[in-house]
Amino acid sequence: MTKIEHAATAGARRGASAALIRLVALAALVAATPASARGDLDWYRQNPEPVVQRTPVRDAALTLAPGEGVVSLAVSRLEPVAALALSGSGGRTRLALWDLRAPDRLAPLILPDPGPDGGISAVAFHPTKPLLYASVKVKDQWQLKELDLKTWRWTVPAVARSALPFNDLRVSPLPFTVMPGGDAHRLYFSIQLPGSGVGTGSVATTGHQYYRFYGPKALPVAARSSVAPLRDGEERALPFTDDVSARPVSLHPQGTRLVLQNGAGCWIELSHAADNWGPGEATTRLRQAFPRKLACGPGEGEFLPNGLGWIHWRPNEPGVTLSIGDATATLAGDLKFAAAPRLSADGTVLVGVTAAPAAPAAPVAPAGASQVLTLRARPVTIALADVVNAGLLTTDAELRLAARHDGLLTRESYEQMHLFYDVENYATNSIADDPAYPYLVTTDLFWELFSAAYENLFTVSEDETAIPAFTEAVRLLRARVADGTMAPGPLAEKVLLAAALMDPDDRSDAVRAAMADPEYQPRGSYQRSPLASRYFTAMRMLTFAKRRPGSTADEVGDPEASEAAEWARMPETVRAPLRRWVGCYLPFIAGTRGDTFFPVGASVPSYAKHPLTKKRLFPLSWGLDNEVLDRVVLHREREGRERVQRPLPSGLDIATVFGNALARSVLVGEFSKVANYQAQIDELSALYQAERASPALNDGLYNAWLQALAVQWASRAPIPGTRGPALWDAKRLQTGLASWATLRHATLLVNDKSGAEGGEGGPTFEYLVRRPPRGSVEPDPDTFLAIAGLFERAQGVLETVSVDWRSRPAQALRDGVRQTLVESRDLVREFARMARSVRDGTPLSDEDAIEIQAVGGSMEHPYLVFKSAQSKRASEKDPYGLSDPEPVAKVADVADNSVTGQTLLVGVGAVGGWQQVMPFNGLRQLSKGAIYSYRETVQPAPIDDRQWRTLEPKLPVPEWLRAYTAPAGTTASVPKPGR
């Protein structure tokens, strides 16, 4: 399936939310790399990625011989080397290289041409290959020639010929779809026409498709082929032409802008839209880099190598003017350049020529020599100078954040993470006028994939075993009430209501009232079907009783003595379905805080410092996260160091105990204000470190998830090429907290809560040929491997979970999920390998680049398979079909306060974007990835996911994320209008 076909089918699937695709037909599908990836790989192999060598950041100066002048100057895009056409006595010119790694000498090039009467009028480097283009006079003819810098030989006889010199030589940053001859870069040049001004022409580096670009009349140029004129009736487009006298000045590094200057010194900016050059600004995602307010006048300029702005040189003025947006600054203000200087490829050094009067007594000075020129290399400071695609930062706010932190966070409009990774593949393509943003594969993407796998196993176990067993048990209990075996009282009333709830035909006022109660109202994935909604209310009512005002934590959910005695008298006929009901959940929960009325296989973990003294019906999960939330809030019955005067906990408490340094630093201010708070955090932190290898903290999938979060929160060295880890630290803290909120959301019904008691079309000419983007991977191999380990654990759960697989939908689901768990594990391991390479500075392969850019499609299939169990049901007879999954935003209530009536909600917000500067071929580039957003808030009562999606956008960004977050309305994608 090609990328376009994949996009069409994915779009159709997303648009048909009511249609269910049976999993039995999907179980055999395997996520595959799009067929178009083969073409990308061929491109990479035919066009190896150039690696840029950094420029030494130091002052350098080299004085030329008296009387020697600089005819043309160019700086390589690959090495810290300048090429110079130097004029000497008698009008002779020579070609020389100035290597800034050894700046105390010039390296002259001895070439067969020009001859004794020859000359050189212009030089320019190829942007991606070790080639130099020069305008060379051979006898009575000027030739554009290509020099191989490795062999010091001309590669072809001549690209083009002219009776007049080629000047202002520029090479396009990107190739074009030149025909004939195949894809090729273009040379742009000017020719001074006697008495007629200046004309601009262009020819491919292969010598094909020459045309006049600007100028009042035809230029005396011959090439291998020219653009043929249109015949009557033809609709083929011709290249842009204008009879204005103008010369080329600079091409934008992304290839879509060309600036010329006319005879009056006024500027002409052209845009390459789709297949041709034209005046005006095309619809684009690129920042406007050429300064709109630049007045006509003498001088010259060029686009910054990063595409963010422009430098402008004027004769007799100090330095050059740097313009980025409306801001300007002077660079190298202590120097007066004799001609327009050029920036190095990494934007850190300005290379130019200064002039000084010749010494009067210079014995070797030729007659008439009045100046001595000096080559200068001057370090300069430009925002994100070495970030090759910084021009994609379209707003000043983005630029400031990226310049300060080497990246930024945004809020996106996508409902699922994998959809974030579609926009570059489907909204742009290799021949579009817009550059594609390379992707950054994040751990968040695979946390979300694993959460879908966890929820799948959990939900299927619930649907196939727990709900039927619970339904059977409450029907048997209702019969005991009916025949008088169970005495009247609170338990009998709850049993009758639970039985009514599990009867789909019962729509009594009591059922409606129970399901509308904020504490028992269905939420999370239990809104997938009417039966699941009723089950949520019935199960929660029987096992998670409301806290009475003024009650203590030990009393929450505990029955009266008579109720406990009633459960103890239950016969085996009732206990058997109850054990099946409980047993279904044991692989998915941690230990329990208290004993149950009869043995069910759950035990109280060693870290539970305050276990419940009374027994309960269901072993509500009590993980170490519950223990942390419980110990850092006020309990009236606790004294001394255990008394923490704090009304509600925070998710930051969990991250701190599990070892996250940033979370702890955020809490430091509160430590000083709340007595015993830090002491409890320190005690819990020591407990976790001492017991992290114990069975109590490792048994079961819930504990495995928590342990993997500890890996996510562990300290890391900065991302290679960045100045510090601050942004990445904040991102990793948010990722872990959002994943933890997802875990609590998945186990909402069976997890205990802590409590506190304190307050295109038409004719065409040529397209730009864009290099396929080369993305990157978050350099955190340990976390990727931890997630892969979770998929491994999930495979074991699938084989042992208490599910009756005899139904055909369940069989299809089991077979599809079994295969998809293995594929997902292997996929995460692949990205762990890439993450290790990025961390260690090892280049990613071409195959890796293709896999990164296709990650959205690779994840979509397994994600939809896993999400099938949570999909809203068109019918209980046809479960587990593929349809639109619920948006990623979700919420869980994890703690409450019986005195204030408040509830702590933790949740995942909208999909976030992360733009991060990453290493790239010796320089750096911005890559973008999808991440979680985490929010927590205190509300009067629990809410469901739909209510959360209305509330969450109004919540403030956490303080520890605010410094890295772009203003509202900024997105990492910046999709083009109309696409």
Side-chain angles (χ1 to χ4, degrees), residues 26 47 79 90 105 138 258 363 366 384 392 399 466 484 545 552 660 695 827 865 921 933:
L26 225 141
N47 301 272
E79 296 182 274
R105 63 185 180 87
V138 181
L258 172 60
L384 302 171
L392 289 169
L399 174 57
T552 65
N660 186 262
L827 182 64
V865 169
N921 296 335
S933 58

Side-chain angles (χ1 to χ4, degrees), residues 294-493:
L294 194 61
C296 300
E300 191 174 315
E302 71 171 346
F303 286 107
L304 299 181
N306 63 8
L308 267 178
W310 179 267
I311 59 168
H312 189 74
W313 166 82
R314 294 179 179 86
N316 302 316
E317 290 189 9
V320 295
T321 301
L322 168 68
S323 298
I324 298 179
D326 294 330
T328 61
T330 299
L331 303 179
D334 60 326
L335 298 177
K336 282 190 177 181
F337 293 102
R342 306 295 179 197
L343 279 167
S344 60
D346 53 11
T348 60
V349 174
L350 199 61
V351 180
V353 180
T354 59
V364 295
S370 60
Q371 287 187 322
V372 175
L373 300 183
T374 300
L375 300 178
R376 298 277 187 174
R378 170 57 58 84
V380 293
T381 301
I382 299 174
L384 302 171
D386 62 341
V387 178
V388 296
N389 60 348
L392 289 169
L393 297 168
T394 57
T395 70
D396 289 341
E398 288 179 283
L399 174 57
R400 284 193 295 269
L401 287 170
R404 190 177 302 130
H405 306 297
D406 289 322
L408 65 147
L409 307 179
T410 57
R411 183 182 180 90
E412 299 299 313
S413 59
Y414 308 102
E415 291 189 342
Q416 308 294 341
M417 281 194 193
H418 67 270
L419 300 181
F420 180 99
Y421 291 92
D422 284 348
V423 66
E424 300 304 323
N425 293 332
Y426 308 141
T428 63
N429 57 64
S430 63
I431 58 175
D433 56 309
D434 258 357
Y437 235 123
Y439 286 142
L440 175 61
V441 180
T442 62
T443 58
D444 308 56
L445 187 64
F446 293 104
W447 276 119
E448 179 63 11
L449 182 60
F450 174 72
S451 75
Y454 182 99
E455 291 171 342
N456 182 286
L457 297 175
F458 186 99
T459 303
V460 174
S461 301
E462 198 166 57
D463 285 345
E464 300 296 326
T465 300
I467 294 178
F470 181 83
T471 303
E472 179 185 350
V474 295
R475 286 174 179 168
L476 291 169
L477 290 167
R478 180 174 59 184
R480 289 175 63 80
V481 174
D483 64 15
T485 307
M486 181 181 294
L491 178 58
E493 294 173 4

Side-chain angles (χ1 to χ4, degrees), residues 3 33-42 850:
K3 290 177 181 176
T33 304
S36 59
R38 171 52 53 186
D40 293 340
L41 188 56
D42 291 342
I850 292 170

